[in-house]
Every structure is written in C-alpha cells, then in structure tokens.
Amino acid sequence: MRVVELAARIQAMTDDALDMLVVERQAPLQLASTFDLAEHLVKDASVQQALAWRTAAELAALSDGRSTPRLDALLLGVDGVALPRVRELAAAASIVATEPLVAVESATAPQTAIDETIKIAELVHRVADAPIVLRSRSQLPAATARALAAAIDGDPARLEERLEPAVLAGLIDRRDGRLRATVDADAWLAAPVPERWCTLATAWLAATPDAQAVAGDPRAEFPLADAAVLAVRERQHRQAQRLGLADRGAPTMLGVDLRERPDAARAALAAHVPPATASVYLQPDLSAVAPGPLEGRVETRLRRIASIERAGIASHWRISPQSIAAGLAAGDDADSVLAFLAEISLTGLPQPVTYLVRDTAAKFGSLRVRPVDTRTEGGARSQARSDDEQLIRTIAVDRALANAGPLQTGPHRVTFRTSAEEALEALLEERYPAVLEDEAGELVRRTPERAPRHTHERHRLVDRLRDAGFEVGEHERAWLERQLQGAIRDRMPVRLTVSTATDPVDVELVPLAVANGRLRARDANRDIERTLPLSAITKVAGLGAVD
C-alpha cells in the first residue's frame, strides 16, 4: 500500500480511532499532516517499535501475512492483511506463536482482589483527605510515598503502580502538578468492596487491550519487547495479579467472568468478603485493631479521630493528638469522641485513651492561625496567637519550623512567611495544638477538595492532523480523483488548498463532477459553482469519503 493510500485511511478515521493510533504508535509531536503520519508509520524504526509491543500470537500472524481488527487499527495491516514491510520485519524475527492462555480457577484470586481493593481504597482516602503536591516530572515526594506505602504495607518503589488503577477508574486526578480525589471518589469509597473492585478491574481491563497476554509470562508473551516495553508489561502483570485477574501465569476465571458476566464476577467476589463488623479492639498503646472490614458508618466516624496504620481486611488504626484534634476541628467534642470509642470497643475504654482525648480537647484551639496583610507585616503571610507565652517562644525557636520562617512579634504572637494553611500544616506536623481561624476569629471548617470528573483528553496531534490534511503531488492525482468521486457519490464536502496566481487559498467545496482533469463543485460558503483543474489542488484536508 502506498503512503498516500495510508494517509487517506488515516484521514477517514474517527477522532477516537486516530487518538488510539497516535498514542499506541507513539507518533512524534512534530508531525504536521496525515501524510507525515503515514510516512512515519511505514518507516522501519516505527514498525519495529510497534512490533516490540505485540504478542507472540500477533507476531506469528503478521509474519504469515495476516492481520486482525486490532492490528488493522494500528495500521500494521489493512482489511485483515499485514502490510508488506510489516510482514517482512515480523517474519525476520522468526517468532513461533505460543499456545493460547487458558483461564484458570484460582482459589486465591478473590482474596487477593479483595485485599488490593481495600488497600487502593486507603490510598484514595488519603488523597481525598489531603491532596498531594507533586514534584517535578509529576513524581510523588519521597516522604509522602513512604507514608502511603507504609499504610498499605507496600513497597514505596511500587506505589505508583498501586495508584494507577484508581487513576484509570477516574477516582484520582493527576493534573496541574497535584494528586487529588475526584468528585466520584466519595461514592466509590462508600460502595461495598465487590462494587469497588468491579470499578477498578473494569477500568484496568479497558486500558489494557493485551490483558490476556499480560496475565502470562511477559518475556514469553512479548518476545520482541525491549527493556522499556518489558518494564511496562511486567508492571501490568503485577497489577493483574493483585486485582485477581491473573494467577500462576494465566488469566483467572474471575477476570473472564468480569468481562463476560459482570454480575457473576461480583457475586463470586462477594462470597469471599468477610461480614462487616462494627467493633474494634482498643488497646492501651492507643492502637485499635479491626477484626474484619468495618461497617461504612463506623469506618467513616473512626477516620475522623484516628489514622489507619495498615490497611487490609483486618485494619490497624492509631489514635494520636493530631487525629483527635482533626476530629475536634471537624465538630466533635471530647464527650462525643469517648462515647463513640466506648460503643465500638470490644476491650472497654483504656485509661490512656481517655486521658489523651481529654487532654487534647483541653488544649484544642489554644494556638490559632490566620492570614495577615503582607503590606503591614513586613512580608509575613500568616500569624499564630496564643495566651501561652512559653508556647509562642518555643515555636519561634523551633528549628523544625524553619522553612515556615517563624518570627516572634509579641509575647502572644508569632508570624510566618508561608500561607496560613501551610503554617497550620507545619505546626500540626510538629504536634502543636493549632487550629485555623478566619478574620472574625471563627474556626474554619475545611471542605475536602475534589477534582472534576475525569474526562479523556485526546492527543494534541489529533486536532492538528484534522486541520492539516496532506500535500497532493503528481503521483497522487489519480488517487485524488478517486476520492473526489467518492465525495460526489456521498455528497460530502472537502477542504482543499488551491494554488492561484498570487497566494494559495483554502476553500470548502461540495464536489459535483470530475472529468477531463477538472473538478466542478459548489462553494459551500458562497453558494456558487466553481470549476478548477485538479492540478491546482495542492493540499487536501477533510475528505468526505475514502474508497
């Protein structure tokens, strides 16, 4: 197939199909037209790069000259036939097709899926409670990554791949240099575990067209994968295993059911979820252990006054001055906190817990943070006030607060270079009893921030290629005439660049007839007929029909 014919097929693609093509074939951003894209896709380097992502079965088919609908969509083949150069390069690799992977009944897959769903939910909870500012290159701060990984008993180096299913499911947004929960996160967190798993696994499968091959040994299933491709496939393999979609190098029936019978998959998982409990074992060391998944009402309430140390079916919690202060800032008081803990505790109310709650409540609000006018404060952006003079002196010389720039400006007052919210976070991090207040002295109840619902953003090349079209040279005249005949048949408009005695002009025409090297068409904007030689057409964009 000639490049111009390939360009015509690209021009006829839907926006979604073109988006998938340029993303998966890793088209360079500098391409200026569909003809440029077609030329890029047939180059050996581009074909070899595409083959590195293909399964052994796909490579074997291509080497035999066969294609599939998915390979056609990637323009490695057309109408079920591999492109000649693609066939040559695939055949040169001498790949033997592997046996199709057979789905297995896995006794461990449901339990693994439940555990991973609970752990991803904990990550979503934490991002929902406190959006994360990313470092350069959109990376998580190292300390944040360690804290999040510790909460799910995971490896910080693998944290990004644990977050990815939540991003794919539209629960976490990763744009504008921040990691935020979306408006869909709260409803998902409130849903039963089987529903949460279905959302995660379905989104992951939709984003992983080669999911069945990924379930196997990546080195065997993707024989031409280089180190970079293999790293992606191995990451996907680990994700499939954790979500219960792969086990022992094969896809699981749980994953097959999810694709073909979602209700059956949901029911199969639900049968392995332990009954929800409304109780915890409250310990004198200020820890709490839930013997099973907590009822939604209890977990929501407990999260206001305790932080989770390890997520799982049996979760571990920790009560601290900071967590109690957070509950008080949300509207609780000491009596309501102690009443709730007494209600859910299977071990009574340990004295250290009672003391901590009472002591934290007594100190709550003794250090109040608010913004200040930078014009009158020598560049300071916020202040903290307290009746406790010793507390103010301690804050002013606390080296742990150096980045906030504390400066004592009176016996009961210290200012900071940072915003009030940043100063508050720094003080809370160092266990000071700080609260945020407004200009009227009222406590500020912080509303959780949520990102808008996730929407797919098309690759930047799509719009550019739609507008650009491609150049028409002498070799493309016959092809152009065929395409115009198709546009006449379907009464579809075309956008053309036509050379004139002065400068080229862009016109939108509805072709009426082509004969003797000339085009007769109606000008769509002026509603008049025009006749022009085909040789004057130098560029085509927006063909209405392609044969």
Side-chain angles (χ1 to χ4, degrees):
M1 172 174 282
R2 293 190 304 155
V3 169
V4 68
E5 293 171 309
L6 207 60
R9 287 188 170 270
I10 294 171
Q11 192 71 31
M13 284 181 169
T14 65
D15 286 350
D16 287 343
L18 181 57
D19 180 62
M20 186 276 290
L21 174 68
V22 299
V23 170
E24 295 208 24
R25 290 293 301 270
Q26 301 178 43
L29 280 173
Q30 64 267 29
L31 296 179
S33 68
T34 50
F35 198 84
D36 288 343
L37 175 59
E39 284 190 319
H40 167 75
L41 295 179
V42 297
K43 289 179 179 177
D44 283 1
S46 176
V47 173
Q48 289 168 339
Q49 183 184 54
L51 296 181
W53 290 92
R54 307 278 54 87
T55 66
E58 288 175 322
L59 291 169
L62 291 170
S63 66
D64 289 340
R66 295 178 287 110
S67 184
T68 66
R70 173 155 173 73
L71 295 174
D72 283 355
L74 295 171
L75 288 185
L76 294 170
V78 171
D79 298 332
V81 179
L83 294 182
R85 188 55 178 157
V86 173
R87 178 179 184 176
E88 292 173 12
L89 292 175
S94 302
I95 301 299
V96 178
T98 58
E99 290 295 324
L101 295 174
V102 179
V104 297
E105 286 285 359
S106 171
T108 60
Q111 201 66 38
T112 302
I114 292 167
D115 187 62
E116 184 66 5
T117 300
I118 291 173
K119 288 179 176 179
I120 291 177
E122 178 57 27
L123 296 177
V124 176
H125 265 300
R126 297 209 170 202
V127 175
D129 290 343
I132 299 168
V133 177
L134 301 172
R135 297 168 55 194
S136 60
R137 299 183 181 178
S138 296
Q139 293 182 340
L140 287 167
T144 301
R146 287 193 296 270
L148 291 174
I152 60 172
D153 199 21
D155 180 356
R158 298 271 188 253
L159 184 64
E160 295 284 3
E161 67 186 57
R162 308 290 287 273
L163 283 165
E164 189 175 7
V167 174
L168 294 174
L171 306 170
I172 292 178
D173 180 83
R174 192 177 194 134
R175 287 177 295 182
D176 303 324
R178 290 189 299 166
L179 207 62
R180 296 180 294 167
T182 70
V183 293
D184 295 323
D186 295 296
W188 180 81
L189 289 168
V193 170
E195 292 288 344
R196 283 186 259 167
W197 171 78
C198 280
T199 298
L200 293 172
T202 299
W204 186 87
L205 287 170
T208 315
D210 305 310
Q212 183 163 347
V214 165
D217 177 2
R219 294 180 182 275
E221 294 298 324
F222 302 94
L224 295 186
D226 57 22
V229 173
L230 193 60
V232 173
R233 294 308 193 186
E234 288 175 341
R235 185 190 79 234
Q236 293 172 332
H237 179 74
R238 292 189 294 270
Q239 290 172 332
Q241 288 182 305
R242 284 194 292 262
L243 289 170
L245 305 174
D247 187 27
R248 303 192 303 277
T252 64
M253 285 305 300
L254 187 64
V256 172
D257 285 344
L258 181 62
R259 283 188 291 265
E260 300 176 359
R261 301 182 301 154
D263 290 341
R266 191 180 296 107
L269 200 72
H272 292 81
V273 178
T277 178
S279 302
V280 299
Y281 293 98
L282 196 56
Q283 308 293 333
D285 65 356
L286 307 180
S287 66
V289 179
L294 288 169
E295 292 179 359
R297 172 190 66 85
V298 174
E299 181 178 358
T300 299
R301 184 75 173 80
L302 186 58
R303 280 186 178 276
R304 291 175 59 172
I305 58 172
S307 58
I308 196 166
E309 288 191 317
R310 191 170 64 197
I313 294 175
S315 52
H316 291 230
W317 301 74
R318 173 72 56 183
I319 299 172
S320 66
Q322 295 93 326
S323 67
I324 296 297
L328 297 174
D332 283 326
D333 57 38
D335 290 338
S336 64
V337 170
L338 291 172
F340 168 70
L341 291 175
E343 175 192 345
I344 67 171
S345 177
L346 295 170
T347 50
L349 202 56
Q351 187 177 25
V353 173
T354 302
Y355 175 79
L356 175 67
V357 173
R358 295 288 187 197
D359 182 62
T360 303
K363 295 178 181 178
F364 180 73
S366 60
L367 183 65
R368 303 172 81 90
V369 181
R370 68 161 67 180
V372 297
D373 189 338
T374 57
R375 294 171 298 180
T376 60
E377 293 291 342
R381 299 171 60 194
S382 59
Q383 69 169 21
R385 296 184 63 88
S386 176
D387 292 335
D388 188 337
E389 296 183 21
Q390 180 58 48
L391 178 62
I392 293 296
R393 287 194 294 270
T394 301
I395 291 172
V397 297
D398 190 339
R399 292 184 178 180
L401 299 172
N403 288 337
L407 176 65
Q408 186 171 356
T409 57
H412 302 286
R413 184 175 185 266
V414 62
T415 61
F416 301 94
R417 292 193 304 264
T418 59
S419 68
E421 289 77 10
E422 292 170 322
L424 176 69
E425 293 300 328
L427 290 165
L428 292 176
E429 183 70 23
E430 298 306 316
R431 303 191 177 187
Y432 290 102
V435 295
L436 188 66
E437 66 179 10
D438 59 21
E439 294 180 355
E442 298 293 330
L443 289 185
V444 175
R445 310 289 185 191
R446 289 192 285 180
T447 303
E449 182 183 0
R450 296 291 179 264
R453 180 169 286 109
H454 178 78
T455 56
H456 176 70
E457 295 181 359
R458 289 196 180 100
H459 196 283
R460 284 179 290 172
L461 268 178
V462 173
D463 289 339
R464 185 194 306 166
L465 296 179
R466 283 291 181 238
D467 292 336
F470 52 88
E471 303 294 332
V472 178
E474 289 301 324
H475 296 294
E476 288 80 39
R477 298 298 172 194
W479 168 86
L480 173 61
E481 186 167 345
R482 291 199 306 274
Q483 308 318 312
L484 291 174
Q485 292 285 4
I488 293 168
R489 182 183 64 245
D490 295 333
R491 299 180 180 179
M492 296 291 290
V494 296
R495 283 175 290 137
L496 308 173
T497 299
V498 181
S499 63
T500 67
T502 54
D503 297 318
V505 296
D506 295 327
V507 293
E508 184 172 344
L509 304 173
V510 179
L512 300 175
V514 176
N516 302 319
R518 300 181 71 81
L519 168 68
R520 184 168 62 86
R522 182 171 58 83
D523 190 315
N525 294 320
R526 299 181 182 180
D527 198 25
I528 59 174
E529 282 197 11
R530 301 180 59 172
T531 300
L532 63 152
L534 295 182
S535 60
I537 300 174
T538 60
K539 194 172 184 180
V540 180
L543 279 171
V546 177
D547 290 338

